[in-house]
Amino acid sequence: MTRELEISELPQSATPPSSRWAKAVRLVMYPFRRGETPAKQAATGFYNDTTVCIGCKACEVACKQWNQLPADGMNFTGNSYDHTGTLSAESWRHVKFIEQFPSKTETSNDGRVSLNLVQPPAEGNRWLMMSDVCKHCEAAPCEHACPTGAILYNEFSNVYIQADICNGCAYCIAACPFGVITRSHFDGRAHKCTLCYDRQKDGLVPACAKACPTASIQFGPIDELRQRAEKRVGELRERGLAKAHLYGDVASDRYSGLNSFYLLIDKPETYGLPSQPVNPWTNMKGDYVRTVASGLLALAAIAAILLGVGH
Amino acid sequence: MPGLGASFGRGAAATYQQDLANSDCILIMGSNMAEAHPVGFRWPMKAKERGAPLIHVDPRFSRTSALCDVHVTIRAGTDIAFLGGIIRHVLAEEKWFREYVLAYTNASVILSEEFRDTEDLDGLFSGFDAETNTYDPQKGRWAYAGTDDQPTQKKSEPDQAGVHGYGLMGAGQSGAPTQRDETLQHPRCVMQVLRRHFDRYTPEAVSKVCGCSPDAVTRVAELLCKNSGRERTSAIVYAVGWTQHSTGVQIIRTAGILQLLLGNMGRPGGGIMAMRGHASIQGSTDVPTLYDLLPGYLPHPTTDPAHATLDAYCKKEGLPTGYWSNFREFVVSLMKAYFGKAATRENDWGFGWLPRLDGDYSHLLTTERMARGELTGYFLFGQNPAAGGLNGGMQRTGLRALDWLVVCDTFETESAVFWRDDPNGPPPSEVKTEVFLLPVASSVEKEGTLTNTQRLLQFHNKALDPPDDCRSDAWIVYNLGKRLRELYAGSTDAKDQPLLSITWDYDHLEPQVLPDGTLSRIESDPDIDRVLQEVNGYSNDPSTGQRKLLPGFSSLRDDGSTACGCWIYSGVYPEVGRNRANERNLTDNPVQPNWGFAWPHNRRILYNRASADPAGRPWSERKKYIWWDGQQRRWVGPDAPDFEPDKPPDYRPPPGAKGMAAIAGDQPFIMKPDGLGWLYAPKGAKDGPLPAHYEPVESPVGNLFYPRHAINPTVRTFEGPLNRIAKTATPEFPIVACSFRLTEHHLSGAMSRFNSWLNELQPAMFVEMNPEHAAEQNIANGDWVTVRSPRGAIEVRAVVTLRLQPLDIDGKRIHQVGLPLHWGYAGESVGGSVNDLTPLIADVNVSIHEGKVFAVRVEAGRNASQSPTPTKPPAAWPTREPIADTPDSAQPEGEFTHDAGA
């Protein structure tokens, strides 16, 4: 957390840096690519309205069934009704449960009873639920980090991992500021939500959005979704939910917009989302300098030793 | 459902879920709708989006509470006290809907002088027999004054407990009221009796019983009052959290009284939505699977001499006025459907062939008899009593006492493996029961209708043949019947005649074609279409002998010219080629009348005549639904009127009128002999004409309202070594336990705990308890704990959460715990079954158990003898072969291993 704060102080930009060299490489390489690039379509995404999520986890099951993802273990966590724990290569949707109840009685039981309560809200007893998913960032660090080109933007501007190109290097895992991606222990490769690319190609709605009974997960052209979401925030604020806001609907000066964005009624941290996501590339210039400098230093040290030995 | 039947005339949800979106306020109580009915919950959410407050009153803070605007914690089993507090508020603050109540309810009817209320007799109504623990309504003079003034000299026979509970439908005979006081001032008029009855339910008194704050009662009451009346309507949603109590029927009665007082019945956005426990439970009471009913809520004949002949039976059970006056038409048509040509006027339409009931054969009582070794064989269709039945230990003792058991299920459930895997049971060598497991088709592998919670019949088609030897339940029953008939073929013995005469001809006339165009490989599958046509009803053209399907139940005749398998479903198949249950046509009409078929006659909101004022005008433009069109001289509106379509509002029955002619143009409750909504139910509920608060059978406190009668005096407990009951508060079991459902699992888990995708979402049985309680017992979140009741003990994980709150009940600190009901010892995910803890008791009306509240204690630590091991390993991945002739890149995204060489 402190490191995150530290980094967030650095000057950031929503778009990844792109050098003249990278452009030159693309110019040379692209003519050799096989196949037709599909025609660009309107950008699509998810609008996740957490205020109507009933925590039924139908999205999790629908996702696993459509994509034939394995069940990844029967692990009782004791963390409210969340036994999925985290997004992973096997779980592309994850419903979070946040219990916010002011504790009336102090319960000390030799320190054993720890409910680890997030600060309860002034509004009273709440049990927040949120269906988490890949954010499909407009400028995705994972796509930028991928050395093989396995991660790309498809014609719907969704971030897509081509599992057969992935070499399992895990750079994307380190790059994602939301902790979305992990490697599968089945094939060692990175997997995450595809926004049901296959269904979209056939004009279908992604499985999770289709299964959601309360329209908490809405799918569609991202511009339309943003308008709908803004209207909804306005209505909620009118009704006294002053903290209702959208998370990731537009790009900030530090991070790009998210094509899967959220309507929240508390701080992003309450939901386990970073309030200020960090682009790994803000560190890159320094990292390059440090890498080159330490390399030179090592060479110098080796030279010094060799020379010293020669004497 | 006699709770609804006694109040309104039909034991079914009065509205439909989609209409909840039109509510201005919704009270959800005894229901965990967001978790148990997540798809239906979208409609309350739509109401909420429009700004309607949602209220959840429940012992636990569940996912439903999380989505509601107001949540009130009450002690489990105190619902009547809470609702009584609201009724008192409505009456004391004069917030009731005066015109509605005066015109459409029996508020002004005067009661007999000899009737005594609980307020007069300290917790009992008049007519109680302490020997049999039953009421005799006749002796107690529950009837309206002037209709039944001369008590019969001979001791009247009280109805047998349990029998015909569902059958009553509130139809019970009670003459039309003769004495009324429109000023509502007469001390014996229903309104005044009601006021006196609920006077003690003050917010403070309710608070002491329920454990909520007095303000909570007032706040909920005010929200309901503010959102009811001419311009606004409020709805009440309940489920098994109300029904599964020793006072279940009366809890629903209380809600009925409240909705009648607020004028919410029969109106859009109003009503009482009964959420059923699973897919076709409504259908199973309609058609039915209940032992005491014939299809369409006709009472099953008993050994009572008054049921000996059809004439006598119709005289006893039919009614001279209201819709039940067509009783004979329904019964004769049913006999024609059952026995076809064999049913003739000469043989009393085969009425004598029907078996006669001589006692209570409900599931719970049968279990009790089974445990005593009085049964030899048992069929289970999609039922799992070993884990899902009350007092699981007793259920399994019963199964072990059988000679044979047939289990028809999709998986090897607890009931199929009790002889081998029951951790409490003896070794398999000592179990004598021979168990046959017949694998059955899943819902997509067979066709048929489901009647959902809102009486809506929806047909589902068969997508593919079931695998291997799996067959549909219908196949099993149909072929069993065929073979039995072969065994008795040619017999002239009188007792064999019903079996030989019964209509048993449902073969496919043409080969069955599957959706992909191929022929089904299943032989002798019954044609469900033909079954549904018989249920709908037909007449035989006497000249050609051709069958003609009936357009609805008004075409039924009692001369043997019509046959109908279930009169309330008539109209579902009005002509050849038109199965209305299979229609899915969306129109501009918000009621969507062409989506499926709702009984009766496709009416979506029942009693909707009440959506107009007595003169037939809508109560308000905003709540317009069905109204009288003076030019067309018809009732019109988006829904089918639940009324004679051309009976004008000013119609008044002539003296001595019979049948529907006796119902006036401004009496919307047409199933009632007096056409009125019953605030006071002279008949229909066997434990009293008005609801009164009694404690659950196992309660940590006494009854603060009626100290001399702690529990419902008519309840039947079957105490014995297998069924110990903590009838009085005991420090041994001080905790109030309630059972509940999770979205992730289904009932006893027979369909969900065999699926890895669901098991990973809720992998273990647990108990929800509050931190204070946990600290007292030195339990931390996630620990293994043992929950013990007088019936047994189970080991579970502890979920310590502030969603459960300790309660102060009359100065005593009471803890509640919640136990999900989904686990057992069979499947991938196994765990303690909550039903090993629940008691087997039965209410007097419908023999419903009290699974929703019982006494336990929670101790830290495991209970090793209770640790079941999974009977099925989790699914190995991938579960399917790669799709043939398809490149890796086009395989389902997640099937990682196909190209990994792993």
Side-chain angles (χ1 to χ4, degrees), chain B residues 56 92 138 153 163 177 216-217 232 243 277 324 407 420-421 472 565 637 664 677 768 785 801-802 806 815 837:
Chain B
H56 193 217
Q138 212 171 349
Q153 287 305 308
V163 176
V217 185
R232 305 178 81 76
T243 53
W324 282 112
V407 180
R420 188 186 69 201
D421 295 310
S472 69
E768 289 185 350
V785 299
T801 169
L802 286 161
H815 294 300
L837 307 178

mmCIF file of all heavy atoms in Angstrom, chain B residues 56 92 138 153 163 177 216-217 232 243 277 324 407 420-421 472 565 637 664 677 768 785 801-802 806 815 837:
data_model
loop_
_atom_site.group_PDB
_atom_site.id
_atom_site.type_symbol
_atom_site.label_atom_id
_atom_site.label_comp_id
_atom_site.label_asym_id
_atom_site.label_seq_id
_atom_site.Cartn_x
_atom_site.Cartn_y
_atom_site.Cartn_z
ATOM 1 N N HIS B 56 -37.426 -5.800 4.679
ATOM 2 C CA HIS B 56 -37.191 -7.214 4.974
ATOM 3 C C HIS B 56 -37.233 -7.412 6.475
ATOM 4 O O HIS B 56 -36.472 -6.784 7.208
ATOM 5 C CB HIS B 56 -35.835 -7.670 4.420
ATOM 6 C CG HIS B 56 -35.664 -9.155 4.414
ATOM 7 N ND1 HIS B 56 -34.479 -9.776 4.693
ATOM 8 C CD2 HIS B 56 -36.554 -10.147 4.169
ATOM 9 C CE1 HIS B 56 -34.640 -11.092 4.613
ATOM 10 N NE2 HIS B 56 -35.882 -11.338 4.291
ATOM 11 N N ALA B 92 -55.552 1.494 14.999
ATOM 12 C CA ALA B 92 -55.521 2.556 16.002
ATOM 13 C C ALA B 92 -55.369 3.923 15.351
ATOM 14 O O ALA B 92 -55.957 4.906 15.806
ATOM 15 C CB ALA B 92 -54.394 2.293 16.998
ATOM 16 N N GLN B 138 -68.234 -25.550 15.324
ATOM 17 C CA GLN B 138 -69.676 -25.469 15.516
ATOM 18 C C GLN B 138 -70.003 -25.246 16.985
ATOM 19 O O GLN B 138 -70.812 -24.399 17.335
ATOM 20 C CB GLN B 138 -70.311 -26.761 15.020
ATOM 21 C CG GLN B 138 -71.679 -26.527 14.465
ATOM 22 C CD GLN B 138 -72.211 -27.770 13.774
ATOM 23 O OE1 GLN B 138 -71.478 -28.740 13.537
ATOM 24 N NE2 GLN B 138 -73.480 -27.748 13.470
ATOM 25 N N GLN B 153 -77.864 -31.043 18.286
ATOM 26 C CA GLN B 153 -77.901 -31.751 19.551
ATOM 27 C C GLN B 153 -76.798 -32.808 19.606
ATOM 28 O O GLN B 153 -76.083 -32.906 20.582
ATOM 29 C CB GLN B 153 -79.271 -32.414 19.740
ATOM 30 C CG GLN B 153 -80.377 -31.407 20.053
ATOM 31 C CD GLN B 153 -80.055 -30.534 21.248
ATOM 32 O OE1 GLN B 153 -79.710 -31.022 22.318
ATOM 33 N NE2 GLN B 153 -80.133 -29.212 21.083
ATOM 34 N N VAL B 163 -56.418 -33.951 7.704
ATOM 35 C CA VAL B 163 -57.177 -34.317 6.519
ATOM 36 C C VAL B 163 -57.909 -33.100 5.955
ATOM 37 O O VAL B 163 -58.538 -32.354 6.674
ATOM 38 C CB VAL B 163 -58.164 -35.443 6.860
ATOM 39 C CG1 VAL B 163 -59.035 -35.767 5.674
ATOM 40 C CG2 VAL B 163 -57.401 -36.664 7.315
ATOM 41 N N PRO B 177 -73.859 -13.913 5.337
ATOM 42 C CA PRO B 177 -74.163 -13.138 6.535
ATOM 43 C C PRO B 177 -75.574 -12.559 6.460
ATOM 44 O O PRO B 177 -76.005 -12.094 5.417
ATOM 45 C CB PRO B 177 -73.108 -12.045 6.538
ATOM 46 C CG PRO B 177 -72.613 -11.973 5.135
ATOM 47 C CD PRO B 177 -72.766 -13.340 4.562
ATOM 48 N N ALA B 216 -39.290 0.127 15.263
ATOM 49 C CA ALA B 216 -39.231 -0.643 14.019
ATOM 50 C C ALA B 216 -40.632 -1.045 13.579
ATOM 51 O O ALA B 216 -40.971 -1.000 12.399
ATOM 52 C CB ALA B 216 -38.351 -1.873 14.201
ATOM 53 N N VAL B 217 -41.476 -1.440 14.556
ATOM 54 C CA VAL B 217 -42.851 -1.839 14.226
ATOM 55 C C VAL B 217 -43.574 -0.649 13.617
ATOM 56 O O VAL B 217 -44.216 -0.753 12.564
ATOM 57 C CB VAL B 217 -43.593 -2.315 15.496
ATOM 58 C CG1 VAL B 217 -44.966 -2.838 15.133
ATOM 59 C CG2 VAL B 217 -42.782 -3.352 16.229
ATOM 60 N N ARG B 232 -52.063 4.281 -4.141
ATOM 61 C CA ARG B 232 -50.843 3.483 -3.980
ATOM 62 C C ARG B 232 -51.184 2.070 -3.483
ATOM 63 O O ARG B 232 -52.233 1.873 -2.863
ATOM 64 C CB ARG B 232 -49.888 4.166 -2.997
ATOM 65 C CG ARG B 232 -49.545 5.592 -3.386
ATOM 66 C CD ARG B 232 -48.642 6.267 -2.369
ATOM 67 N NE ARG B 232 -47.244 5.909 -2.531
ATOM 68 C CZ ARG B 232 -46.457 6.379 -3.479
ATOM 69 N NH1 ARG B 232 -46.919 7.237 -4.365
ATOM 70 N NH2 ARG B 232 -45.196 6.017 -3.551
ATOM 71 N N THR B 243 -44.545 -20.536 6.158
ATOM 72 C CA THR B 243 -45.391 -21.727 6.187
ATOM 73 C C THR B 243 -44.865 -22.773 7.166
ATOM 74 O O THR B 243 -45.657 -23.437 7.813
ATOM 75 C CB THR B 243 -45.478 -22.368 4.793
ATOM 76 O OG1 THR B 243 -44.162 -22.589 4.308
ATOM 77 C CG2 THR B 243 -46.211 -21.479 3.816
ATOM 78 N N GLY B 277 -41.555 -23.264 -2.743
ATOM 79 C CA GLY B 277 -40.255 -23.839 -2.401
ATOM 80 C C GLY B 277 -39.448 -24.377 -3.555
ATOM 81 O O GLY B 277 -38.235 -24.311 -3.555
ATOM 82 N N TRP B 324 -67.970 -22.517 -6.024
ATOM 83 C CA TRP B 324 -67.973 -23.930 -5.649
ATOM 84 C C TRP B 324 -69.341 -24.579 -5.820
ATOM 85 O O TRP B 324 -69.496 -25.776 -5.599
ATOM 86 C CB TRP B 324 -67.478 -24.106 -4.216
ATOM 87 C CG TRP B 324 -66.002 -24.015 -4.093
ATOM 88 C CD1 TRP B 324 -65.293 -23.021 -3.476
ATOM 89 C CD2 TRP B 324 -65.033 -24.941 -4.574
ATOM 90 N NE1 TRP B 324 -63.952 -23.268 -3.550
ATOM 91 C CE2 TRP B 324 -63.757 -24.443 -4.220
ATOM 92 C CE3 TRP B 324 -65.097 -26.139 -5.278
ATOM 93 C CZ2 TRP B 324 -62.576 -25.101 -4.554
ATOM 94 C CZ3 TRP B 324 -63.919 -26.795 -5.606
ATOM 95 C CH2 TRP B 324 -62.681 -26.276 -5.249
ATOM 96 N N VAL B 407 -35.920 -45.516 -5.366
ATOM 97 C CA VAL B 407 -35.510 -44.115 -5.424
ATOM 98 C C VAL B 407 -35.376 -43.730 -6.889
ATOM 99 O O VAL B 407 -34.577 -44.321 -7.618
ATOM 100 C CB VAL B 407 -34.168 -43.894 -4.697
ATOM 101 C CG1 VAL B 407 -33.758 -42.423 -4.759
ATOM 102 C CG2 VAL B 407 -34.253 -44.351 -3.253
ATOM 103 N N ARG B 420 -25.555 -47.465 3.329
ATOM 104 C CA ARG B 420 -24.114 -47.644 3.235
ATOM 105 C C ARG B 420 -23.339 -46.491 3.870
ATOM 106 O O ARG B 420 -22.339 -46.683 4.533
ATOM 107 C CB ARG B 420 -23.747 -47.755 1.754
ATOM 108 C CG ARG B 420 -22.318 -48.120 1.471
ATOM 109 C CD ARG B 420 -22.045 -48.060 -0.024
ATOM 110 N NE ARG B 420 -22.082 -46.669 -0.490
ATOM 111 C CZ ARG B 420 -22.276 -46.319 -1.759
ATOM 112 N NH1 ARG B 420 -22.462 -47.228 -2.694
ATOM 113 N NH2 ARG B 420 -22.293 -45.050 -2.105
ATOM 114 N N ASP B 421 -23.824 -45.261 3.661
ATOM 115 C CA ASP B 421 -22.988 -44.097 3.977
ATOM 116 C C ASP B 421 -23.487 -43.235 5.124
ATOM 117 O O ASP B 421 -22.890 -42.213 5.413
ATOM 118 C CB ASP B 421 -22.845 -43.229 2.726
ATOM 119 C CG ASP B 421 -22.084 -43.951 1.637
ATOM 120 O OD1 ASP B 421 -21.007 -44.477 1.940
ATOM 121 O OD2 ASP B 421 -22.572 -43.993 0.497
ATOM 122 N N SER B 472 -37.803 -40.739 -17.936
ATOM 123 C CA SER B 472 -38.531 -39.703 -17.214
ATOM 124 C C SER B 472 -39.391 -40.341 -16.119
ATOM 125 O O SER B 472 -39.738 -41.523 -16.203
ATOM 126 C CB SER B 472 -39.414 -38.912 -18.171
ATOM 127 O OG SER B 472 -40.466 -39.709 -18.640
ATOM 128 N N GLY B 565 -59.386 -33.528 -16.365
ATOM 129 C CA GLY B 565 -58.477 -34.069 -15.361
ATOM 130 C C GLY B 565 -58.197 -33.129 -14.215
ATOM 131 O O GLY B 565 -57.808 -33.567 -13.139
ATOM 132 N N GLY B 637 -60.027 -4.435 -19.230
ATOM 133 C CA GLY B 637 -58.729 -4.125 -18.628
ATOM 134 C C GLY B 637 -57.676 -5.042 -19.213
ATOM 135 O O GLY B 637 -57.989 -5.915 -20.028
ATOM 136 N N ALA B 664 -73.107 -10.823 -5.555
ATOM 137 C CA ALA B 664 -73.492 -9.515 -6.072
ATOM 138 C C ALA B 664 -72.405 -8.940 -6.975
ATOM 139 O O ALA B 664 -71.269 -9.434 -7.002
ATOM 140 C CB ALA B 664 -73.776 -8.566 -4.911
ATOM 141 N N GLY B 677 -63.945 -10.805 1.254
ATOM 142 C CA GLY B 677 -62.662 -11.156 1.840
ATOM 143 C C GLY B 677 -62.859 -11.321 3.342
ATOM 144 O O GLY B 677 -63.535 -10.511 3.981
ATOM 145 N N GLU B 768 -24.198 -19.759 11.069
ATOM 146 C CA GLU B 768 -23.980 -18.321 11.233
ATOM 147 C C GLU B 768 -24.310 -17.957 12.675
ATOM 148 O O GLU B 768 -25.395 -18.275 13.163
ATOM 149 C CB GLU B 768 -24.892 -17.536 10.281
ATOM 150 C CG GLU B 768 -24.473 -17.652 8.838
ATOM 151 C CD GLU B 768 -25.316 -16.781 7.911
ATOM 152 O OE1 GLU B 768 -26.337 -16.229 8.365
ATOM 153 O OE2 GLU B 768 -24.937 -16.670 6.741
ATOM 154 N N VAL B 785 -17.315 -26.478 14.713
ATOM 155 C CA VAL B 785 -18.140 -26.475 15.918
ATOM 156 C C VAL B 785 -19.155 -27.614 15.811
ATOM 157 O O VAL B 785 -19.388 -28.150 14.733
ATOM 158 C CB VAL B 785 -18.886 -25.141 16.123
ATOM 159 C CG1 VAL B 785 -17.910 -23.994 16.274
ATOM 160 C CG2 VAL B 785 -19.856 -24.869 14.978
ATOM 161 N N THR B 801 -20.460 -13.630 12.406
ATOM 162 C CA THR B 801 -20.784 -12.444 11.634
ATOM 163 C C THR B 801 -21.744 -11.538 12.377
ATOM 164 O O THR B 801 -22.617 -12.000 13.123
ATOM 165 C CB THR B 801 -21.397 -12.831 10.266
ATOM 166 O OG1 THR B 801 -21.920 -11.657 9.653
ATOM 167 C CG2 THR B 801 -22.510 -13.858 10.416
ATOM 168 N N LEU B 802 -21.560 -10.256 12.151
ATOM 169 C CA LEU B 802 -22.458 -9.265 12.755
ATOM 170 C C LEU B 802 -23.794 -9.201 12.017
ATOM 171 O O LEU B 802 -24.668 -8.425 12.388
ATOM 172 C CB LEU B 802 -21.788 -7.886 12.759
ATOM 173 C CG LEU B 802 -20.685 -7.753 13.802
ATOM 174 C CD1 LEU B 802 -19.760 -6.600 13.463
ATOM 175 C CD2 LEU B 802 -21.282 -7.554 15.177
ATOM 176 N N PRO B 806 -27.603 -10.417 18.599
ATOM 177 C CA PRO B 806 -28.262 -10.943 19.787
ATOM 178 C C PRO B 806 -29.526 -10.133 20.080
ATOM 179 O O PRO B 806 -29.604 -8.956 19.715
ATOM 180 C CB PRO B 806 -27.225 -10.765 20.890
ATOM 181 C CG PRO B 806 -26.241 -9.796 20.370
ATOM 182 C CD PRO B 806 -26.327 -9.768 18.876
ATOM 183 N N HIS B 815 -29.651 -15.566 21.832
ATOM 184 C CA HIS B 815 -28.873 -15.654 20.598
ATOM 185 C C HIS B 815 -29.621 -16.491 19.574
ATOM 186 O O HIS B 815 -30.280 -17.466 19.920
ATOM 187 C CB HIS B 815 -27.507 -16.289 20.862
ATOM 188 C CG HIS B 815 -26.630 -15.441 21.727
ATOM 189 N ND1 HIS B 815 -26.248 -14.175 21.372
ATOM 190 C CD2 HIS B 815 -26.072 -15.679 22.936
ATOM 191 C CE1 HIS B 815 -25.486 -13.669 22.325
ATOM 192 N NE2 HIS B 815 -25.368 -14.554 23.283
ATOM 193 N N LEU B 837 -31.280 -32.187 13.101
ATOM 194 C CA LEU B 837 -31.572 -31.412 14.306
ATOM 195 C C LEU B 837 -33.045 -31.071 14.453
ATOM 196 O O LEU B 837 -33.533 -30.840 15.550
ATOM 197 C CB LEU B 837 -30.778 -30.093 14.287
ATOM 198 C CG LEU B 837 -29.269 -30.187 14.076
ATOM 199 C CD1 LEU B 837 -28.652 -28.796 14.039
ATOM 200 C CD2 LEU B 837 -28.633 -31.002 15.191
#
